[in-house]
Amino acid sequence: QVQLVESGGGLVQAGGSLRLSCAASGRTYTMGWFRQAPGKERELTATITWWGGRPYYADSVKGRFTISRDNAKNTVSLQMNSLKPEDTAVYYCAASALRDMRTMTNSRDYDYWGQGTQVTVSS
Protein backbone atom coordinates (compact mmCIF):
# COMPACT_ATOMS: atom_id res chain seq x y z
CA GLN A 1 0.00 0.00 0.00
CA VAL A 2 1.48 3.32 -1.09
CA GLN A 3 1.12 6.25 1.27
CA LEU A 4 0.92 9.84 0.09
CA VAL A 5 1.90 12.73 2.32
CA GLU A 6 1.10 16.31 1.32
CA SER A 7 2.75 19.48 2.53
CA GLY A 8 2.80 23.16 1.69
CA GLY A 9 -0.72 24.36 2.40
CA GLY A 10 -1.46 27.49 4.35
CA LEU A 11 -2.98 30.95 4.36
CA VAL A 12 -2.16 33.44 1.61
CA GLN A 13 -3.61 36.69 0.33
CA ALA A 14 -5.30 36.89 -3.03
CA GLY A 15 -2.73 37.20 -5.78
CA GLY A 16 -0.14 35.29 -3.81
CA SER A 17 1.48 31.91 -4.42
CA LEU A 18 1.80 28.58 -2.70
CA ARG A 19 3.54 25.36 -3.62
CA LEU A 20 2.08 22.02 -2.61
CA SER A 21 4.18 18.88 -2.52
CA CYS A 22 3.26 15.24 -2.21
CA ALA A 23 5.64 12.42 -1.41
CA ALA A 24 4.76 8.84 -2.26
CA SER A 25 6.17 5.90 -0.29
CA GLY A 26 6.36 3.73 -3.39
CA ARG A 27 6.01 3.57 -7.14
CA THR A 28 2.99 5.29 -8.65
CA TYR A 29 1.85 6.17 -12.13
CA THR A 30 -0.54 9.00 -12.95
CA MET A 31 -0.65 11.50 -10.11
CA GLY A 32 -3.04 14.32 -9.54
CA TRP A 33 -4.33 17.01 -7.26
CA PHE A 34 -7.98 17.29 -6.33
CA ARG A 35 -9.61 19.87 -4.12
CA GLN A 36 -12.76 20.11 -2.07
CA ALA A 37 -14.29 23.32 -0.82
CA PRO A 38 -16.87 23.35 2.00
CA GLY A 39 -20.24 22.20 0.76
CA LYS A 40 -18.90 21.23 -2.64
CA GLU A 41 -17.88 18.01 -4.32
CA ARG A 42 -14.27 17.02 -4.72
CA GLU A 43 -13.00 18.24 -8.08
CA LEU A 44 -9.95 17.60 -10.18
CA THR A 45 -7.38 20.40 -10.27
CA ALA A 46 -4.51 18.92 -12.25
CA THR A 47 -3.00 15.59 -13.29
CA ILE A 48 0.25 14.41 -14.78
CA THR A 49 1.10 11.08 -16.38
CA TRP A 50 3.75 8.72 -15.07
CA TRP A 51 6.35 9.88 -17.58
CA GLY A 52 5.71 13.51 -16.72
CA GLY A 53 3.94 14.41 -19.89
CA ARG A 54 0.40 15.34 -20.83
CA PRO A 55 -0.40 17.60 -17.86
CA TYR A 56 -4.09 18.33 -17.55
CA TYR A 57 -5.64 21.30 -15.79
CA ALA A 58 -9.15 22.23 -14.82
CA ASP A 59 -10.30 25.34 -16.66
CA SER A 60 -10.54 27.22 -13.38
CA VAL A 61 -6.78 26.92 -12.74
CA LYS A 62 -5.36 26.85 -16.26
CA GLY A 63 -2.61 29.41 -16.69
CA ARG A 64 -2.18 29.86 -12.92
CA PHE A 65 -1.26 26.40 -11.63
CA THR A 66 1.56 24.11 -12.77
CA ILE A 67 1.88 20.43 -11.93
CA SER A 68 5.22 18.67 -12.04
CA ARG A 69 6.76 15.45 -10.79
CA ASP A 70 10.11 13.97 -9.89
CA ASN A 71 10.04 10.20 -10.38
CA ALA A 72 13.45 9.74 -8.81
CA LYS A 73 12.02 11.13 -5.56
CA ASN A 74 8.45 9.85 -6.03
CA THR A 75 7.06 13.34 -5.60
CA VAL A 76 4.52 15.52 -7.33
CA SER A 77 4.15 19.26 -6.84
CA LEU A 78 1.56 21.88 -7.60
CA GLN A 79 2.76 25.45 -8.02
CA MET A 80 -0.18 27.78 -7.50
CA ASN A 81 0.14 31.38 -8.60
CA SER A 82 -2.30 34.29 -8.75
CA LEU A 83 -4.41 32.63 -6.09
CA LYS A 84 -8.02 33.65 -5.71
CA PRO A 85 -10.41 33.31 -2.76
CA GLU A 86 -12.31 30.69 -4.75
CA ASP A 87 -9.20 28.49 -4.67
CA THR A 88 -9.78 28.00 -0.96
CA ALA A 89 -10.20 24.28 -0.33
CA VAL A 90 -8.62 21.16 1.07
CA TYR A 91 -6.21 19.88 -1.56
CA TYR A 92 -5.67 16.16 -1.93
CA CYS A 93 -2.85 14.34 -3.66
CA ALA A 94 -3.90 11.21 -5.54
CA ALA A 95 -2.05 8.50 -7.40
CA SER A 96 -2.86 5.59 -9.63
CA ALA A 97 -1.40 2.12 -9.34
CA LEU A 98 -2.18 1.44 -12.98
CA ARG A 99 0.25 2.17 -15.76
CA ASP A 100 -2.19 3.84 -18.11
CA MET A 101 -1.79 6.21 -21.03
CA ARG A 102 -5.13 7.91 -20.41
CA THR A 103 -5.55 11.34 -18.90
CA MET A 104 -7.30 10.43 -15.66
CA THR A 105 -9.85 13.02 -14.70
CA ASN A 106 -12.15 10.89 -12.56
CA SER A 107 -11.42 10.40 -8.87
CA ARG A 108 -12.37 6.73 -9.25
CA ASP A 109 -9.28 6.22 -11.41
CA TYR A 110 -7.02 6.84 -8.43
CA ASP A 111 -6.01 4.19 -5.93
CA TYR A 112 -4.13 6.15 -3.30
CA TRP A 113 -5.01 9.38 -1.53
CA GLY A 114 -3.26 11.73 0.83
CA GLN A 115 -4.82 13.13 3.97
CA GLY A 116 -5.31 16.58 2.46
CA THR A 117 -3.81 19.99 3.12
CA GLN A 118 -5.76 23.20 3.68
CA VAL A 119 -5.27 26.14 1.35
CA THR A 120 -6.97 29.36 2.37
CA VAL A 121 -6.87 32.47 0.17
CA SER A 122 -8.01 35.68 1.81
CA SER A 123 -9.45 38.58 -0.16
Side-chain angles (χ1 to χ4, degrees), residues 2 18 72 75 120:
V2 174
L18 281 175
T75 59
T120 302

Side-chain angles (χ1 to χ4, degrees), residues 46-79:
T47 69
I48 189 166
T49 54
W50 59 272
W51 69 89
R54 204 179 290 174
Y56 173 92
Y57 300 95
D59 288 343
S60 58
V61 306
K62 203 171 292 184
R64 299 188 297 122
F65 290 12
T66 302
I67 189 170
S68 60
R69 69 185 295 163
D70 184 338
N71 288 338
K73 298 180 180 179
N74 287 338
T75 59
V76 63
S77 298
L78 186 67
Q79 177 66 41

Side-chain angles (χ1 to χ4, degrees), residues 31-50:
M31 299 188 79
W33 289 93
F34 288 74
R35 67 185 184 185
Q36 187 167 18
K40 295 187 177 181
E41 294 187 353
R42 189 171 298 188
E43 62 177 9
L44 174 67
T45 303
T47 69
I48 189 166
T49 54
W50 59 272

Side-chain angles (χ1 to χ4, degrees), residues 88-99:
T88 295
V90 177
Y91 284 72
Y92 296 90
C93 176
S96 170
L98 181 65
R99 181 170 173 166

